[in-house]
């Protein structure tokens, strides 16, 4: 009795697994993709301009991510771009490092690293697609005077991690944008003269 129950339970699990695989293949075949399920976000515009310097690590990360998706082209000028990401506050100049805690001797025991950006998105007609948005990220880091070089390496890695997180959060907000549709022109209706009464 126990053996037959184990077999039927395994069979049920196997059947559910096969059903899940079949549904996944079916959804993929019809072009359906879960936004963010594989870490990517489809953008609702064909071309986009990133308002950051070419050498900006954040710009490089964003452009690489958008190009990898393949549905949106990153252009070099804002003229004619379907969407323009305007950076109102450059994150590279907003990196912070503040004391988070002290040890019993009054020496720094822990720092808090900060990384933030303020941006908005407009379309080619100047319509605001995304209002000014601020994203603030923080990471704690311990400090050890005997391991200064190692801590500098860890700090750089944490800033890099925050930058990658920033790319993901920006992409999530871009993917949620609903473009402004152009107003439809309605042709005036010509009044129809009433039919003449029959004699």
């Amino acid at each position: 009795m126990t053996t037959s129950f184990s077999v039927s339970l395994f069979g049920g699990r196997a059947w559910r697994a096969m059903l899940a695989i079949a549904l996944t293949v079916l959804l993929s075949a019809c072009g359906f993709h879960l936004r963010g399920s594989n870490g990517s976000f489809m953008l609702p515009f064909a071309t986009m301009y990133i308002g950051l310097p070419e050498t900006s690590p954040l710009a490089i990360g964003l452009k690489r991510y958008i190009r990898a998706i393949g549905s949106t082209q990153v252009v070099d000028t804002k003229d004619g771009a379907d969407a323009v990401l305007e950076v109102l506050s450059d994150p590279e100049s907003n990196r912070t490092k503040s004391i988070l805690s002290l040890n019993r001797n009054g020496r720094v025991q822990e720092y808090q690293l900060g990384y933030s950006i303020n941006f908005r998105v407009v379309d080619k007609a100047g319509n605001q697609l995304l209002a000014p948005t601020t994203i603030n990220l923080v990471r704690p880091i311990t400090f050890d005077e005997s391991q200064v070089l190692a801590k500098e390496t860890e700090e750089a890695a944490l800033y890099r991690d925050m930058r990658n997180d920033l790319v993901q959060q920006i992409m999530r907000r871009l993917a949620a944008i609903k473009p402004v549709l152009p107003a439809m022109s309605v042709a005036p209706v010509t009044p129809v003269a009433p039919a003449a009464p029959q004699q």
Side-chain angles (χ1 to χ4, degrees):
M1 187 70 177
T2 304
T3 304
S4 62
F5 176 76
S6 304
V7 171
S8 63
L9 180 62
F10 174 76
R13 287 177 180 168
W15 181 84
R16 283 195 296 271
M18 290 175 62
L19 180 61
I21 292 171
L23 284 173
T24 302
V25 171
L26 189 62
L27 290 173
S28 299
C30 69
F32 179 81
H33 298 281
L34 291 175
R35 177 179 293 166
S37 62
N38 61 349
S40 65
F41 301 91
M42 303 302 291
L43 303 185
F45 15 78
T47 59
M48 183 169 195
Y49 173 77
I50 307 295
L52 281 168
E54 288 290 328
T55 56
S56 164
L58 181 61
I60 293 170
L62 277 169
K63 291 176 181 179
R64 182 183 297 123
Y65 199 109
I66 294 171
R67 284 168 179 152
I69 295 173
S71 61
T72 299
Q73 179 185 0
V74 179
V75 294
D76 296 330
T77 62
K78 62 174 64 176
D79 299 332
D82 295 320
V84 176
L85 189 149
E86 295 182 346
V87 177
L88 308 175
S89 179
D90 189 354
E92 295 307 321
S93 62
N94 288 338
R95 289 174 23 163
T96 60
K97 182 178 180 180
S98 56
I99 297 174
L100 192 59
S101 64
L102 303 173
N103 60 21
R104 287 178 295 180
N105 300 322
R107 295 180 180 274
V108 176
Q109 180 176 339
E110 196 174 20
Y111 284 105
Q112 178 169 278
L113 307 179
Y115 198 73
S116 65
I117 187 174
N118 182 255
F119 69 99
R120 71 172 188 155
V121 180
V122 297
D123 65 12
K124 64 178 68 176
N127 298 309
Q128 187 167 263
L129 302 178
L130 179 66
T133 301
T134 301
I135 303 175
N136 292 307
L137 302 175
V138 294
R139 297 284 191 278
I141 181 173
T142 57
F143 180 72
D144 188 343
E145 292 180 348
S146 64
Q147 298 180 349
V148 174
L149 187 59
K151 287 301 174 181
E152 287 179 353
T153 302
E154 182 182 356
E155 180 178 317
L158 284 173
Y159 276 123
R160 188 165 55 250
D161 176 66
M162 283 191 283
R163 188 161 53 243
N164 292 336
D165 192 358
L166 208 58
V167 168
Q168 291 285 329
Q169 293 203 36
I170 291 173
M171 292 298 299
R172 191 174 296 116
R173 285 161 174 78
L174 293 178
I177 289 176
K178 299 189 186 319
V180 177
L181 297 176
M184 295 180 63
S185 58
V186 179
V189 178
T190 304
V192 179
Q198 294 182 355
Q199 298 295 332

